[in-house]
Amino acid sequence: FFIVKGVIMKSSVMRFLLIFLCTLCLYFLASYIIPLLFGEEEITQPEPEVIAAFNQPFENDNIKVTFTEIHAYENTQEPERGDLRIYANYTVENMSDSTFIFSWHGMSVYADDIAVENSTFSVTLAPGKKADLVCKTYAFKDTEHIEIYLDDPKGLEEVVIFQLDIPPVEESTTAS
């Protein structure tokens, strides 16, 4: 009798595991395979806002960013990085209710669609505080514009692209 009872218990446990496994397979099939087979697109993040003018702010619940001016100088110290050094001045303000760090890690720069190095000071901003910063980047002589992609400091997605025209090269002994 114990053997028969053990077989019955084992078979009901096996039946439960089989039903559970089938349920997981159906969930996976419905969630991932069927949308891929029938061309349904995955849920995507909204497209970043594009701003192509100075003094036009981008603002969301976390940050407010405004590019105010841009300068171009001949790059004589590190010409392998580009013929020009570009300095783009901007203001960042913390619009959220918590402190965050704003740095170049959340910024990508392209000179006529070519990725270029960039740097800016990292700054810790308490709620309601702002900072005036400079993005230093590089470009080549024939570059017409740069694009600065910014990530939301509290998220992982890009939220804004600043498209800025490269101004004429200025004479300076301190920038080169």
Side-chain angles (χ1 to χ4, degrees):
F1 181 74
F2 290 112
I3 297 173
V4 174
K5 203 174 192 181
V7 170
I8 292 173
M9 288 182 70
K10 286 183 181 177
S11 97
S12 60
V13 169
M14 290 296 286
R15 188 175 301 133
F16 173 77
L17 289 175
L18 184 62
I19 290 171
F20 181 73
L21 184 62
C22 288
T23 304
L24 281 177
C25 289
L26 286 173
Y27 174 78
F28 178 76
L29 182 69
S31 298
Y32 299 102
I33 304 299
I34 291 174
L36 290 176
L37 291 175
F38 293 103
E40 294 179 26
E41 295 182 20
E42 294 181 25
I43 298 173
T44 58
Q45 297 292 334
E47 290 293 318
E49 184 177 334
V50 176
I51 296 177
F54 289 111
N55 300 311
Q56 181 180 347
F58 166 80
E59 183 174 347
N60 66 15
D61 292 340
N62 296 322
I63 59 172
K64 180 178 180 182
V65 180
T66 307
F67 275 82
T68 56
E69 62 184 352
I70 188 170
H71 300 277
Y73 302 99
E74 186 178 349
N75 182 17
T76 57
Q77 287 183 336
E78 303 168 294
E80 67 278 2
R81 292 185 175 181
D83 303 316
L84 303 174
R85 280 190 181 190
I86 308 296
Y87 294 89
N89 299 343
Y90 64 102
T91 301
V92 154
E93 185 174 352
N94 183 349
M95 305 301 286
S96 74
D97 57 359
S98 61
T99 299
F100 64 77
I101 297 173
F102 189 86
S103 73
W104 63 270
H105 296 290
M107 182 183 296
S108 301
V109 180
Y110 299 88
D112 285 344
D113 300 323
I114 299 170
V116 291
E117 290 182 48
N118 72 87
S119 64
T120 190
F121 289 106
S122 294
V123 63
T124 301
L125 291 174
K129 301 301 181 186
K130 65 180 181 178
D132 292 325
L133 301 171
V134 176
C135 172
K136 179 179 121 181
T137 189
Y138 300 90
F140 300 97
K141 283 185 181 179
D142 297 331
T143 302
E144 294 181 12
H145 67 276
I146 61 169
E147 293 179 334
I148 300 171
Y149 287 61
L150 293 181
D151 294 346
D152 190 315
K154 295 200 167 209
L156 299 176
E157 72 277 354
E158 293 169 341
V159 291
V160 63
I161 301 169
F162 288 92
Q163 294 179 338
L164 307 172
D165 291 335
I166 301 288
V169 176
E170 299 177 33
E171 295 291 324
S172 174
T173 56
T174 59
S176 46

